[in-house]
């Protein structure tokens, strides 16, 4: 399998496993020339985007990773439509979060605060606009903060969705909590344990249900949300978490797994709600990860299995969009970062528009000449 980036570092190790450990940094790697901060692509929807952060505490259960914590603390980032076009843009992440992410990923080719300077498009704490909007829950890959899905979140909000991105505490290199403490990745010490992936996705499903239970009481604008139209989208183990959440919580009406090995087992009676696999070539039928082959047969409702040629595990995230400013170079022939973002945003939005807004999307029924990189499986794609 080709790798997106030549640097032997954690952000460049896009393995099949949803929770593979980062490779050690190259001691001789040169520090990157600063070309200015990265800028995320502008959303294409008709609405400006606002964003705010909530901090929730689940006192009904202890934290699964921090044995000293008798409650589970979560950071939830909300993106939503607004009428406000001017104002302070929301920070991508803090300097400390950026430092811990790069250090944990083994990247030493740029100043550690580089990613904190990334330019976003959402206005911080803007007044929301709209009514009865569908809700999309976002869950990131293992070790990654939900901010690495910002481009997708902003796109969906600009198209009329409320997006709730969950930072699953102690499963990321850095999560800043309500009192300013920065929680580091305690789960990283356990990622080779038997049954680790299964435990992670069960915990993420519990996080999602808790957020759905308490969003109304914790966000003053929650009346914006249509509680009958909820979907979940995740990347890597976050995608596996989407399967687990749908099994656990019937409020999640539809789901997307972006390139994640699945761990939660679907019962033999099947999962009848709409679901889409969106992945790289490692997830073709008969490929080295057979979890999609197994679960495809148990998806009994509307379903799609799409593979993007020349995509990598992180092509569905912001990582390729910010790679150049942290000194990571793509290999020739790989899907360009902007194209990967366009494909991800287009197909995720099409799925959600069809399933949550009842807007039929012909794009999901056939290969598009506009997007020849997308193959519909299992019928028209074979072993990698």
């Amino acid at each position: 399998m080709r790798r997106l980036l030549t640097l032997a570092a954690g952000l460049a190790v896009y393995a099949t496993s949803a929770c593979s450990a980062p490779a050690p940094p190259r001691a001789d790697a040169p520090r990157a020339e600063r070309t200015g901060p990265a800028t995320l692509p502008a959303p294409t929807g008709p609405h400006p985007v606002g964003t705010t952060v909530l901090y929730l505490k689940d006192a009904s259960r202890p934290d699964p990773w921090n044995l000293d914590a008798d409650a589970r603390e979560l950071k939830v980032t909300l993106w939503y439509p607004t009428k406000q076009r001017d104002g302070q843009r929301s920070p991508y992440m803090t300097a400390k979060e950026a430092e811990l992410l790069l250090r944990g990923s083994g990247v030493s080719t740029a100043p550690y605060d580089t990613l904190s300077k990334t330019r976003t498009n959402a206005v911080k704490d803007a007044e929301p606009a709209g009514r009865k909007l569908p809700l999309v829950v976002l869950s990131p890959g293992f070790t990654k903060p939900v901010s690495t899905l910002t481009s997708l979140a902003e796109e969906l909000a600009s198209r009329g969705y409320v997006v709730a991105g969950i930072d699953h505490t102690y499963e990321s290199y850095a999560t800043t909590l309500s009192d300013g403490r920065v929680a580091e990745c305690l789960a990283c010490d356990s990622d080779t344990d038997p049954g680790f992936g299964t435990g992670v996705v069960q915990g993420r499903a519990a996080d999602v249900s808790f957020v759905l239970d308490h969003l109304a009481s914790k966000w003053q604008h929650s009346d914006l949300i249509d509680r009958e139209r909820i979907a979940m989208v995740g990347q890597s183990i976050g995608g596996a978490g989407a399967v687990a959440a749908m099994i656990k919580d019937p409020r999640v009406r539809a789901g997307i797994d972006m390139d994640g090995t699945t761990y939660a087992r679907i019962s033999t009676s099947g999962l009848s709600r709409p679901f889409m696999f969106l992945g790289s070539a490692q997830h073709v039928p008969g490929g080295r990860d057979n979890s999609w082959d197994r679960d495809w047969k148990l998806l009994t409702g509307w379903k799609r299995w799409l593979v993007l040629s020349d995509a990598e595990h992180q092509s569905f995230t912001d990582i390729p969009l910010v790679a150049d400013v942290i000194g990571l170079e793509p290999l020739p022939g790989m899907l360009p970062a902007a194209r990967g973002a366009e494909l991800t945003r287009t197909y995720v939005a099409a799925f959600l528009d069809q399933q949550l807004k009842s807007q039929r999307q012909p794009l999901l029924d056939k290969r598009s000449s506009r997007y020849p990189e997308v193959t519909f499986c299992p019928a028209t794609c074979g072993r990698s």
Side-chain angles (χ1 to χ4, degrees):
M1 180 183 71
R2 292 173 177 157
R3 298 200 185 281
L4 172 63
L5 307 171
T6 57
L7 180 63
L11 291 180
V13 179
Y14 301 154
T16 301
S17 171
C19 43
S20 52
R26 267 183 22 197
D28 62 341
R31 297 189 78 82
E33 291 288 333
R34 290 293 300 278
T35 58
T39 300
L40 298 183
T44 65
H47 306 288
V49 177
T51 186
T52 195
V53 174
L54 300 178
Y55 298 96
L56 307 179
K57 181 179 288 189
D58 185 357
S60 70
R61 58 186 172 126
D63 191 280
W65 308 113
N66 185 354
L67 300 182
D68 295 324
D70 58 4
R72 176 75 165 153
E73 295 185 68
L74 296 173
K75 176 185 175 184
V76 180
T77 304
L78 297 170
W79 292 267
Y80 46 82
T82 182
K83 294 180 180 178
Q84 185 176 333
R85 295 186 179 275
D86 299 322
Q88 179 186 353
R89 291 308 188 258
S90 177
Y92 188 64
M93 61 178 68
T94 69
K96 185 62 176 179
E97 289 167 343
E99 176 185 350
L100 290 173
L101 175 59
L102 292 188
R103 283 187 184 276
S105 302
V107 176
S108 58
T109 51
Y112 282 125
D113 65 346
T114 298
L115 288 180
S116 69
K117 301 181 185 340
T118 300
R119 293 171 178 152
T120 69
N121 300 281
V123 178
K124 183 180 179 182
D125 297 325
E127 186 75 13
R131 58 184 300 274
K132 289 295 183 180
L133 303 178
L135 173 67
V136 181
V137 178
L138 279 189
S139 184
F142 187 64
T143 76
K144 303 300 187 295
V146 80
S147 56
T148 58
L149 298 175
T150 296
S151 174
L152 176 59
E154 291 181 339
E155 175 68 13
L156 296 177
S158 79
R159 290 172 177 246
Y161 293 90
V162 175
V163 180
I166 302 176
D167 274 302
H168 303 276
T169 313
Y170 302 115
E171 296 172 25
S172 167
Y173 286 129
T175 303
T176 302
L177 301 177
S178 59
D179 59 2
R181 287 179 297 123
V182 179
E184 299 188 36
C185 188
L186 298 181
C188 291
D189 296 333
S190 307
D191 65 356
T192 58
D193 291 354
F196 176 78
T198 301
V200 170
V201 299
Q202 289 173 347
R204 292 201 173 194
D207 288 348
V208 170
S209 291
F210 175 74
V211 170
L212 295 182
D213 288 341
H214 293 273
L215 192 56
S217 62
K218 297 298 182 181
W219 189 37
Q220 60 177 326
H221 300 292
S222 62
D223 55 351
L224 230 67
I225 297 171
D226 184 348
R227 296 265 165 187
E228 299 301 315
R229 295 189 292 165
I230 299 174
M232 181 170 173
V233 181
Q235 188 266 341
S236 193
I237 208 164
V243 177
M246 291 184 71
I247 293 171
K248 173 182 170 61
D249 198 324
R251 291 175 293 183
V252 184
R253 283 186 42 187
I256 300 177
D257 177 352
M258 299 189 298
D259 215 46
T261 299
T262 56
Y263 293 99
R265 299 307 296 267
I266 302 172
S267 72
T268 55
S269 61
L271 182 62
S272 61
R273 279 162 281 158
F275 200 85
M276 185 167 77
F277 288 126
L278 179 64
S280 63
Q282 66 180 326
H283 279 121
V284 296
R288 64 183 189 176
D289 175 14
N290 66 0
S291 66
W292 287 17
D293 297 80
R294 178 197 68 211
D295 290 344
W296 178 255
K297 301 169 187 176
L298 298 172
L299 298 175
T300 58
W302 188 101
K303 59 184 179 181
R304 290 293 182 271
W305 180 345
L306 307 181
V307 169
L308 276 56
S309 61
D310 294 326
E312 280 295 336
H313 190 52
Q314 298 293 346
S315 293
F316 310 94
T317 76
D318 298 343
I319 298 299
L321 297 170
V322 302
D324 60 338
V325 301
I326 54 175
L328 304 181
E329 297 294 333
L331 286 172
M334 298 317 302
L335 189 67
R339 185 65 164 178
E342 179 185 7
L343 291 168
T344 300
R345 300 199 304 181
T346 297
Y347 278 89
V348 169
F351 171 87
L352 295 171
D353 284 350
Q354 179 156 310
Q355 305 305 333
L356 298 187
K357 295 183 178 180
S358 300
Q359 298 173 356
R360 186 174 175 274
Q361 302 292 315
L363 183 69
L364 298 175
D365 294 330
K366 62 182 179 179
R367 188 185 181 110
S368 167
S369 59
R370 182 180 175 188
Y371 302 114
E373 303 95 332
V374 179
T375 302
F376 284 65
C377 300
T380 59
C381 64
R383 185 182 299 274
S384 176

